[in-house]
């Protein structure tokens, strides 16, 4: 297949599984893939629009695709009713004052004007009016200035600005522009009807400055009228943001979301592949631009090629091979080893540029921070790298609304070459269809194309014994798993020295049971082969068998769970074996699903899940190339968490790996590990329906915060004067309530972010409380989210 040096490994489809042992074969000639229509994220826009959509940098867990931050929080003010009453009173008061002014009922109204103008302009006396034309003009300007001051004072008194922000500007465009246009039209009507003194005062002032001869030209008069009309409209244009409304209507988004860096005017658009142009690969950039604009690429292709290009920087030979492949095959270059370019079906929204998958949104709840209310909630590798623990009863939606979306997004990122996913759950396709995975291991199903390697693909007996012991007896509290690992190593080493591979389930059970025939045959083979060191190991095991505290019988009983007729074709280790090793996840972007027989063999399923978790933590910690994000999704982690795996989960953050574990209740984990497990994961999720005992654990993890509380106490008012007592009695007779006054006390107290009872009884169905931490240490407080995955 066409790897262009990006995935130089053996095939990983359902028919071929990579095995680390042995050198890889020569790569076959690249096939030709016929281009076919591609689609972006489910029910999403075209790839070109998808690339251009801004993705501002936000807090952990915010769905960044097209995110628009909420406007600043308004402090609690007066009610809408009080605002409207205030506006009405201020308008009526202003009209009354202006009417009294115009009709001469306000005494001494001309005194301030007469103090600054010549006396011969006015008749004698306090109430004397203008005697000359100059006095009449001065009075006109004087009244215009007073009218402006009156309007300003009424606006401040009636809080007009607040009602405008709340009921006009708060509705956004185009309502804001239309309301401002209506207000501007009304203002123009009032101005030109002389209801508002503006035109005559302006003409008088212009004449006083430029001389009255200026009005002999009709053109000058028309220009003045036009300037007055524009001056009246200008404040309404500013308030209505007409310029932004026109720019948005023309398709040019004038308002860029905060947090998005502004691109230079001459910078190429994202669909023009600027990173390739900067590196000099203009031909490849032009080819990919044409693929995007003609719809022959999807979001997976874009993410895959971007990752391949960034991974090949500093390696000229890889960049040259990638450029040649792009020119030859376009968007089909650097394909995933499976040859797939998309999943068969998507159920949620994905954004592969940021690696996010949307699982829900923050509710408009007072317990959520104001800035997060209504924003989308998304998961990404930076969050899953700290591991996530989800707890909820059956039917709460853990599989459908959390596990399935995470598996889906990791599968898409695997197709882009950026991740590998191991999904473990029950049969039935709850984790996705078979076509969405490269390897499907159905334990207990004879039709399964792959077996499961109990030893994790290792050749070291001690390493294999340590991981196998953790899977077999890690949940046995009274048994030290290190002693169990020693017992297994004393048998695995000698067996491998003789046969070249580790024993199968039946052989291992016989050796642990101390079957004389099996042990004697192994001893004779060791003696004949000259394996003295291994013979000494076997003799040590023989001497310890039957001693007090010997873990051998417990190990044999646990291995007997796998030595069942239903598992006969599985767990083979000979030449005809076809096991799948989790070690392949360390260096290949694989999509692997393991189906456990939970309904028919519940105890064996738990043992295997425990073994998978132990192998995963051991393999990911030991890998040298950590550029690939590897994630384990364990749909049901009941009785699988041990003290060693908790330590392994804590180490995943530093090796670019993570795990998603779901539990029905925290009590499915040994009580001694409750605190350790909740402290090992960076993300916690409590679904609706958990018990108060589980809620108490989460409340302890999420801690407390300082809040302000308001206590209102009502005190009766006792009047001393007879008239006041009569008024109070009349008020009580009318309202039926005694006259009281409120005493408000504001205090800062420390309270739990979410109490146990709130988590148990106040989380609605279909919701969950989620706290997040990314690998860089940034935190998001526990948020009440609506799950729509």
């Amino acid at each position: 297949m066409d790897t262009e040096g990006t995935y130089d490994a053996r095939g990983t489809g359902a028919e071929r599984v990579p095995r680390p042992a042995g050198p890889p074969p020569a790569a076959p000639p690249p096939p030709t893939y016929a281009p076919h229509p591609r689609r972006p994220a489910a029910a999403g826009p075209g790839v070109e629009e998808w690339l251009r959509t801004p993705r501002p940098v936000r807090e952990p867990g915010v769905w960044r695709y097209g995110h628009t931050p909420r406007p600043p929080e308004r402090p609690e003010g007066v009610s809408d009713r009080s605002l409207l009453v205030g506006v009405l009173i201020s308008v009526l008061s202003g009209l009354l004052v202006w009417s009294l002014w115009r009709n001469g009922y306000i005494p001494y109204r001309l005194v301030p004007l007469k103090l600054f103008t010549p006396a011969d302009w006015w008749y004698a006396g306090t109430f004397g009016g203008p005697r000359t034309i100059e006095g009449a003009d001065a009075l006109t300007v004087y009244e215009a200035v007073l009218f402006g001051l009156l309007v300003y004072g009424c606006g401040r008194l009636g809080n007009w600005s607040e009602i405008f922000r709340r009921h006009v500007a708060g509705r956004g465009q185009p309502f804001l522009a239309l309301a401002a246009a209506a207000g501007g039209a009304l203002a123009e009507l009032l101005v030109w009807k002389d209801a508002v003194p503006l035109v005559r005062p302006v003409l008088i002032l212009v004449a006083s400055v430029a001389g009255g001869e200026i009005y002999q030209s009709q053109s000058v008069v028309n220009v003045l009228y036009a300037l007055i009309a524009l001056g009246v409209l200008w404040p309404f244009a500013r308030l209505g943001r007409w310029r932004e409304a026109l720019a948005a209507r023309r398709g040019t988004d004038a308002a860029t979301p905060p947090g998005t860096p502004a691109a230079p005017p001459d910078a190429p658009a994202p669909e023009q592949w600027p990173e390739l142009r900067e590196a000099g690969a203009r031909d490849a950039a032009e080819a990919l631009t044409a693929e995007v604009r003609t719809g022959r690429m999807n979001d997976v292709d874009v993410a895959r090629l971007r990752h391949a290009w960034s991974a090949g920087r500093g390696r000229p030979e890889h960049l040259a091979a990638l450029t040649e492949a792009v020119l030859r095959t376009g968007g089909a270059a650097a394909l995933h080893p499976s040859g797939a370019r998309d999943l068969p079906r998507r159920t949620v929204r994905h954004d592969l540029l940021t690696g996010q998958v949307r699982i829900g949104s923050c509710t408009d709840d007072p317990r959520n921070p104001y800035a997060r209310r209504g924003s989308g909630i998304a998961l990404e590798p930076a969050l899953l790298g700290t591991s996530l623990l989800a707890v909820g009863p059956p039917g709460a939606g853990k599989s459908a609304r959390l596990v399935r979306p995470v598996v889906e997004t990791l599968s898409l990122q695997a197709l882009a070459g950026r991740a590998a996913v191991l999904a473990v759950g029950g049969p039935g396709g709850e984790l996705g269809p078979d076509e969405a995975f490269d390897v499907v291991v159905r334990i207990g199903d004879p039709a399964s194309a792959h077996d499961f390697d109990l030893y994790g693909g290792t050749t070291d007996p001690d390493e294999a014994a340590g991981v196998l012991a953790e899977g077999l007896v890690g949940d046995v509290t009274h048994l030290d798993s290190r002693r169990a690992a020693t017992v297994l190593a004393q048998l695995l080493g000698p067996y491998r020295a003789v046969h070249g591979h580790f024993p199968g389930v039946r052989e291992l059970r016989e050796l642990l049971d101390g079957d004389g025939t099996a042990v004697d045959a192994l001893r004779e083979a060791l003696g004949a082969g000259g394996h003295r060191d291994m013979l000494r190991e076997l003799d040590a095991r023989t001497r310890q068998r039957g001693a007090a505290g010997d873990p051998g019988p417990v190990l044999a009983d646990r291995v007997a769970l796998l030595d069942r007729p239903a598992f006969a074709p599985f767990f083979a280790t000979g030449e005809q074996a076809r096991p799948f090793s989790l070690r392949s996840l360390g260096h290949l972007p694989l999509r692997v699903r393991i189906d456990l027989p939970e309904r028919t063999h519940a105890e064996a399923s738990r043992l295997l899940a425990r073994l998978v978790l132990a192998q995963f933590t051991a393999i990911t910690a030991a890998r040298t190339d950590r550029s690939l994000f590897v994630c384990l999704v364990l749909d049901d982690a009941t009785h699988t968490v041990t003290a060693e795996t908790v330590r392994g989960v804590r180490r995943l953050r530093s090796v670019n790996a993570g795990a998603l574990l779901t539990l029905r209740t925290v009590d499915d984990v040994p009580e001694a590990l409750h605190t350790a497990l909740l402290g090992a994961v960076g993300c916690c999720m409590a679904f609706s329906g958990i018990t108060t005992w589980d809620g108490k654990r989460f409340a302890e993890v999420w801690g407390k915060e300082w809040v302000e509380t308001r206590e209102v106490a009502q005190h009766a008012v006792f009047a001393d004067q007879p008239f006041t007592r009569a008024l109070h009695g009349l008020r009580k007779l009318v309202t039926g309530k005694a006259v009281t006054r409120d005493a408000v006390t504001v205090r800062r107290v420390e309270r739990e972010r979410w109490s146990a009872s709130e988590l148990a009884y106040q989380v609605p169905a279909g919701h969950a409380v989620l706290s997040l931490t990314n690998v860089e240490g940034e935190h998001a407080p526990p948020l009440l989210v609506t799950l729509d995955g």
Side-chain angles (χ1 to χ4, degrees):
M1 60 188 62
D2 193 1
T3 63
E4 285 76 53
T6 306
Y7 307 117
D8 291 333
R10 299 183 62 177
T12 60
E15 301 299 328
R16 301 181 63 188
V17 180
R19 296 183 176 86
T32 302
Y33 294 95
H36 49 90
R38 293 285 133 197
R39 60 170 176 82
V47 177
E48 189 172 355
E49 181 184 351
W50 173 74
L51 283 169
R52 291 185 176 183
T53 303
R55 296 165 174 83
V57 178
R58 290 298 170 199
E59 298 83 3
V62 175
W63 174 252
R64 294 169 51 190
Y65 178 80
H67 173 72
T68 302
R70 296 191 71 181
E73 184 177 8
R74 290 198 311 263
E76 293 185 4
V78 295
S79 63
D80 292 343
R81 180 180 178 180
S82 299
L83 280 177
L84 293 175
V85 171
V87 169
L88 181 61
I89 292 176
S90 65
V91 170
L92 294 178
S93 301
L95 291 175
L96 176 62
V97 171
W98 185 245
S99 177
L100 294 175
W101 174 276
R102 294 296 298 268
N103 291 282
Y105 290 105
I106 297 179
Y108 309 106
R109 64 190 186 97
L110 298 181
V111 171
L113 180 60
K114 291 181 179 182
L115 292 176
F116 296 96
T117 55
D120 56 353
W121 287 6
W122 311 95
Y123 287 107
T126 305
F127 297 95
R131 175 187 295 177
T132 62
I133 297 177
E134 291 81 359
D137 292 342
L139 180 58
T140 301
V141 175
Y142 178 59
E143 289 182 343
V145 173
L146 290 180
F147 180 83
L149 293 176
L150 180 62
V151 171
Y152 176 78
C154 291
R156 292 296 301 270
L157 179 65
N159 205 359
W160 295 1
S161 59
E162 176 62 23
I163 200 168
F164 175 80
R165 285 193 298 267
R166 187 178 299 185
H167 295 285
V168 180
R171 297 190 178 185
Q173 300 289 6
F175 180 84
L176 176 60
L178 294 176
L186 178 61
E188 291 283 359
L189 178 63
L190 295 177
V191 166
W192 295 109
K193 290 292 185 178
D194 282 336
V196 174
L198 179 64
V199 177
R200 290 185 60 198
V202 171
L203 295 177
I204 291 172
L205 291 175
V206 171
S208 64
V209 174
E213 296 81 3
I214 192 174
Y215 295 121
Q216 295 178 0
S217 174
Q218 186 63 37
S219 300
V220 173
V221 175
N222 293 336
V223 170
L224 287 177
Y225 285 164
L227 292 176
I228 293 174
L230 292 177
V232 172
L233 287 179
W234 179 77
F236 293 95
R238 291 290 303 273
L239 291 174
R241 301 175 185 173
W242 292 357
R243 184 177 180 181
E244 296 179 9
L246 291 175
R249 188 169 182 84
R250 293 174 182 174
T252 58
D253 189 7
T256 303
T260 303
D266 56 345
E271 72 273 9
Q272 295 177 343
W273 300 83
E275 62 273 16
L276 272 68
R277 297 178 187 274
E278 293 177 2
R282 298 187 62 87
D283 293 341
E286 292 293 344
L288 293 178
T289 302
E291 292 270 312
V292 170
R293 291 178 174 173
T294 55
R296 293 196 296 268
M297 288 182 66
N298 68 347
D299 54 347
V300 178
D301 297 330
V302 173
R304 185 184 68 251
L305 291 174
R306 283 194 171 189
H307 173 73
W309 186 265
S310 61
R313 289 179 179 176
R315 305 169 71 180
E317 64 280 2
H318 284 210
L319 292 182
L322 179 61
T323 302
E324 180 184 355
V326 168
L327 295 176
R328 185 174 68 252
T329 60
L335 278 179
H336 185 265
S338 65
R341 297 172 63 180
D342 203 349
L343 296 179
R345 186 171 66 93
R346 302 189 190 184
T347 59
V348 290
R349 296 179 62 187
H350 303 270
D351 183 24
L352 291 179
L353 285 188
T354 59
Q356 291 186 316
V357 55
R358 183 185 174 106
I359 62 172
S361 59
C362 284
T363 61
D364 191 3
D365 189 272
R367 285 167 292 199
N368 288 338
Y370 174 81
R372 299 297 296 268
R373 298 174 194 172
S375 63
I377 290 293
L379 297 176
E380 56 184 308
L383 298 172
L384 296 174
T386 63
S387 298
L388 190 154
L389 176 67
V391 179
K398 301 188 299 297
S399 299
R401 300 182 179 183
L402 175 65
V403 174
R404 178 69 180 269
V406 170
V407 172
E408 195 171 286
T409 188
L410 292 174
S411 299
L412 288 172
Q413 295 185 48
L415 293 179
R418 301 188 304 199
V421 57
L422 171 62
V424 182
E430 294 182 356
L431 303 180
D434 294 351
E435 297 80 9
F437 296 92
D438 303 312
V439 176
V440 178
V441 181
R442 299 186 182 89
I443 298 179
D445 186 355
S448 176
H450 304 283
D451 299 342
F452 179 70
D453 190 352
L454 294 176
Y455 304 100
T458 183
T459 58
D460 184 1
D462 293 326
E463 180 181 356
V467 175
L468 185 58
E470 195 65 31
L472 292 176
V473 296
D475 61 330
V476 181
T477 56
H478 65 275
L479 183 61
D480 188 358
S481 60
R482 291 174 295 183
R483 291 191 60 189
T486 302
V487 171
L488 289 172
Q490 291 173 344
L491 297 175
L492 297 181
Y495 192 94
R496 179 174 177 78
V498 172
H499 299 280
H501 57 80
F502 291 123
V505 172
R506 179 165 300 178
E507 293 81 4
L508 180 59
R509 179 184 180 184
E510 292 175 351
L511 293 175
L512 288 172
D513 280 333
D515 183 84
T517 303
V519 173
D520 292 341
L522 181 58
R523 180 180 288 106
E524 292 177 2
L526 289 172
H531 303 288
R532 295 183 179 179
D533 293 340
M534 294 301 171
L535 185 59
R536 187 166 55 251
E537 287 284 301
L538 183 61
D539 291 339
R541 173 62 201 141
T542 303
R543 290 192 302 270
Q544 295 170 4
R545 187 171 61 246
D550 179 24
V554 180
L555 289 170
D557 292 340
R558 290 300 179 88
V559 173
L561 295 174
L562 304 180
D563 188 19
R564 307 297 301 164
F567 303 141
F570 290 85
F571 315 127
T573 57
E575 295 181 358
Q576 302 300 324
R578 48 179 186 177
F580 169 74
S581 171
L582 298 188
R583 202 166 295 271
S584 304
L585 294 169
H587 58 278
L588 290 174
L590 288 178
R591 302 166 296 165
V592 182
R593 193 188 79 204
I594 299 179
D595 293 344
L596 301 176
E598 295 178 345
R599 299 184 181 91
T600 55
H601 299 82
E603 192 64 29
S605 297
R606 295 171 183 173
L607 187 153
L608 292 171
R610 194 162 52 245
L611 181 59
V612 169
L613 180 57
Q615 287 188 6
F616 179 82
T617 55
I619 290 172
T620 52
R623 62 180 181 149
T624 56
D625 183 9
R626 297 172 180 174
S627 60
L628 195 69
F629 178 74
V630 185
C631 188
L632 167 67
V633 180
L634 190 54
D635 194 16
D636 185 6
T638 303
H639 299 298
T640 61
V641 179
T642 64
E644 184 60 34
T645 55
V646 167
R647 287 189 286 268
V649 169
R650 188 180 291 112
R651 291 192 298 265
L652 294 178
R653 180 184 306 194
S654 60
V655 296
N656 196 22
L660 191 159
L661 310 177
T662 67
L663 294 170
R664 295 183 178 91
T665 173
V666 181
D667 290 334
D668 288 338
V669 177
E671 185 176 358
L673 297 178
H674 287 180
T675 303
L677 177 61
L678 291 171
V681 298
C683 306
C684 296
M685 195 168 186
F687 282 76
S688 61
I690 65 172
T691 63
T692 53
W693 291 272
D694 290 341
K696 180 181 178 181
R697 292 295 186 182
F698 283 104
E700 292 174 352
V701 171
W702 290 330
K704 300 179 179 181
E705 63 178 347
W706 288 97
V707 296
E708 284 190 356
T709 61
R710 293 171 56 91
E711 296 180 357
V712 180
Q714 292 184 340
H715 302 283
V717 178
F718 299 97
D720 297 331
Q721 302 298 325
F723 181 72
T724 307
R725 285 199 298 269
L727 289 178
H728 288 184
L730 179 62
R731 180 176 175 181
K732 183 177 181 180
L733 181 63
V734 173
T735 62
K737 297 180 180 179
V739 179
T740 60
R741 63 182 178 184
D742 294 341
V744 181
T745 304
V746 180
R747 295 187 302 173
R748 284 178 57 84
V749 297
E750 193 177 19
R751 289 184 177 177
E752 293 178 328
R753 298 178 185 270
W754 281 85
S755 66
S757 59
E758 288 176 338
L759 290 171
Y761 301 112
Q762 296 187 17
V763 179
H767 292 63
V769 180
L770 172 65
S771 66
L772 299 169
T773 305
N774 62 16
V775 293
E776 297 178 355
E778 296 182 75
H779 297 269
L783 306 169
L784 179 62
V785 300
T786 303
L787 299 175
D788 53 17

